[in-house]
Amino acid sequence: MLVQADSELFAIIEDENERQNTTLQLIASENFASRAVMAATGSVLTNKYSEGYPGKRYYGGNSVVDRAEDLARRRACQLFGAEHANVQPHSGANANLAAYFAVLEPGDTVLGMRLDQGGHLTHGSPVNASGRLYKFVGYGVRESDERIDFDALADLAKRYRPKLIVAGATAYSRVIEPEPLRRIADSVGALLLFDAAHIAGLIAGGVHPNPVPFSDIVTFTTHKTLRGPRGGCIVCREGLAQAIDKAVFPGLQGGPLEHVIAAKAVAFHEAMQPEFKQYAAQIVRNARSLAGALAEEGFRIVSGGTDNHLMLVDLRSFDPDLTGKVAQEALDKAGITLNRNQIPGDPRSPFVTSGVRIGTAAATTAGMRETEMTEIATLVRRALAAPGDDLVSAAVREEVATLCSRFVPYP
Ligand code: DSN
């Protein structure tokens, strides 16, 4: 239908389909959603306005949509053992802002992981609304082992008496234990928000500890390791349900994207299946294997390895002059997609960086295993040994295409 209605746009989508099928997707925050998830996203639910919540809408005609949103809420609660779920946030950033809006007043003090240490923009970066509205104090990783420094975090909490502690990261490869965070929060009477955007699928699959029993609020995205549609979600204690719901709507958003909410319900259902546990465990096995293979190729892996779906690679051990920016561009040419990323203590700017971030969730969905991870490490090394050489990138690109032809996400 689309090819007849709009061949120009259809061709663009076909090109993207081809790109995803024939090149390697190693961006740690991406995945391949199932056709069922995409079918729900492309359904008639996109036509409906439904400001409000199931049973309390502002427009008529919502009895069917209510069932979809209720199903999504119930499944989110079941999947994470939560008391309440709000499935309306359009993104993880919106989910975090709504959580802040629900429990903070402008000017309140919050502890969050620094962006240059692995945190997220919405954890208090001065260029984000979070950093402009609230007084964020940043914590980070220890220099010695590049793991979160809980002692320093506890000291900061005592010193600044925050109203909220934000846990979670976008570029941190180790398990984040929720229990010590709860203890630190309790020691100063702070609330605990766990941003599980990256690891939601690993939690759902039982390979990372569930922060829900230890946190007041947990936010996450549905499109990363959880492998659903692009979007956000908040789960919380019943006592905060009303404040969270009010913060999302009418606080920050208008009409919810009910087609996406329906697709979130599909993704939660998929994540409840026994095979999702195997998938989550394989993501981690693949990440460990890729990190090990890259280390053998001469790359330093930040913190010495990984416990989750991603790793940060310090390029300087391989080539002191190779920046993350040049590496990203060279790998792009070779058909390997990832993103440059600062490493802790990086002397280079966020635009240039000394590192790259690599994730295995999408490759694992495509069916790749440890053997392919070793192959990928070799391809990365070959492309980065001669970043300006078109012959090398063309040769690597051809081998990437051959590899990908055995693991096509959307045949
Ligand atoms: N852009 C996401 C990531 O790549 O981690 C976070 O918002």
Side-chain angles (χ1 to χ4, degrees), residues 27-29 120 170-171 198 224 339 357:
I27 290 182
S29 46
H120 188 246
T170 54
H198 267 263
K224 297 188 176 87
N339 66 283
R357 188 184 65 162

Side-chain angles (χ1 to χ4, degrees), residues 51-285:
E51 280 109 324
Y53 292 98
K56 278 176 265 161
R57 305 284 192 186
Y58 286 81
Y59 293 5
N62 273 302
S63 59
V64 179
V65 152
D66 279 4
R67 282 165 45 209
E69 188 167 338
D70 255 337
L71 189 60
R73 295 199 297 192
R74 271 204 314 276
R75 286 179 178 170
C77 287
Q78 195 188 333
L79 188 59
F80 295 101
E83 293 175 2
H84 178 75
N86 188 308
V87 293
Q88 292 192 1
H90 301 331
S91 66
N94 280 22
N96 284 348
L97 280 181
Y100 301 153
F101 206 49
V103 298
L104 300 173
E105 294 300 326
D108 276 345
T109 302
V110 186
L111 289 193
M113 194 160 177
R114 276 169 37 201
L115 187 62
D116 65 345
Q117 301 274 298
H120 188 246
L121 271 177
T122 58
H123 298 179
S125 160
V127 297
N128 180 260
S130 56
R132 297 183 65 169
L133 285 172
Y134 309 107
K135 272 190 228 132
F136 266 84
V137 177
Y139 62 85
V141 297
R142 268 188 302 263
E143 222 181 299
S144 55
D145 60 1
E146 296 168 309
R147 294 177 185 233
I148 292 174
D149 189 341
F150 282 100
D151 293 336
L153 207 166
D155 287 346
L156 284 175
K158 278 203 188 77
R159 188 158 147 217
Y160 290 97
R161 317 288 305 181
K163 193 163 173 187
L164 177 73
I165 296 178
V166 180
T170 54
Y172 183 70
S173 65
R174 296 303 183 173
V175 168
I176 303 178
E177 290 290 350
E179 204 172 347
L181 289 159
R182 177 77 265 170
R183 256 185 276 124
I184 294 170
D186 284 344
S187 73
V188 294
L191 292 166
L192 178 62
L193 162 63
F194 199 112
D195 178 346
H198 267 263
I199 55 169
L202 303 181
I203 295 165
V207 294
H208 268 226
N210 185 358
V212 170
F214 302 95
S215 311
D216 299 286
I217 305 170
V218 174
T219 57
F220 59 93
T221 52
T222 45
H223 52 275
K224 297 188 176 87
T225 51
L226 199 51
R227 207 167 60 180
R230 187 161 293 283
C233 188
I234 306 174
V235 293
C236 65
R237 289 193 284 103
E238 191 55 51
L240 288 172
Q242 221 183 342
I244 288 288
D245 284 355
K246 266 178 70 181
V248 175
F249 174 85
L252 285 168
Q253 294 185 172
L257 310 177
E258 293 295 344
H259 54 309
V260 179
I261 288 171
K264 289 174 186 171
V266 175
F268 298 148
H269 179 69
E270 290 177 353
M272 283 174 204
Q273 305 312 308
E275 52 270 26
F276 197 85
K277 284 194 171 27
Q278 290 153 25
Y279 167 62
Q282 188 64 48
I283 293 177
V284 177
R285 280 200 295 273

Side-chain angles (χ1 to χ4, degrees), residues 223-410:
H223 52 275
K224 297 188 176 87
T225 51
L226 199 51
R227 207 167 60 180
R230 187 161 293 283
C233 188
I234 306 174
V235 293
C236 65
R237 289 193 284 103
E238 191 55 51
L240 288 172
Q242 221 183 342
I244 288 288
D245 284 355
K246 266 178 70 181
V248 175
F249 174 85
L252 285 168
Q253 294 185 172
L257 310 177
E258 293 295 344
H259 54 309
V260 179
I261 288 171
K264 289 174 186 171
V266 175
F268 298 148
H269 179 69
E270 290 177 353
M272 283 174 204
Q273 305 312 308
E275 52 270 26
F276 197 85
K277 284 194 171 27
Q278 290 153 25
Y279 167 62
Q282 188 64 48
I283 293 177
V284 177
R285 280 200 295 273
N286 281 353
R288 288 200 167 126
S289 158
L290 183 53
L294 285 167
E296 285 192 6
E297 297 285 3
F299 298 94
R300 187 183 82 84
I301 308 298
V302 170
S303 86
T306 177
D307 302 323
N308 60 20
H309 60 302
L310 68 82
M311 67 217 67
L312 271 182
V313 181
D314 184 347
L315 300 164
R316 293 172 302 181
S317 58
F318 181 73
D319 174 353
D321 296 325
L322 180 63
T323 66
K325 185 172 183 294
V326 169
Q328 179 188 313
E329 285 160 5
L331 290 168
D332 232 354
K333 266 189 161 174
I336 301 173
T337 309
L338 46 65
N339 66 283
R340 61 182 176 270
N341 212 101
Q342 278 187 304
I343 55 166
D346 203 325
R348 295 187 172 114
S349 78
F351 195 73
V352 179
T353 83
S354 301
V356 292
R357 188 184 65 162
I358 307 185
T360 55
T364 307
T365 299
M368 294 190 190
R369 298 288 178 266
E370 288 90 330
T371 322
E372 287 74 43
M373 297 301 121
T374 313
E375 206 176 318
I376 291 171
T378 308
L379 292 169
V380 167
R381 188 255 302 148
R382 279 175 50 201
L384 294 186
D389 189 326
D390 287 348
L391 284 178
V392 171
S393 51
V396 173
R397 197 183 176 96
E398 215 175 297
E399 284 184 46
V400 165
T402 306
L403 172 62
C404 291
S405 68
R406 294 191 284 125
F407 302 93
V408 182
Y410 299 114

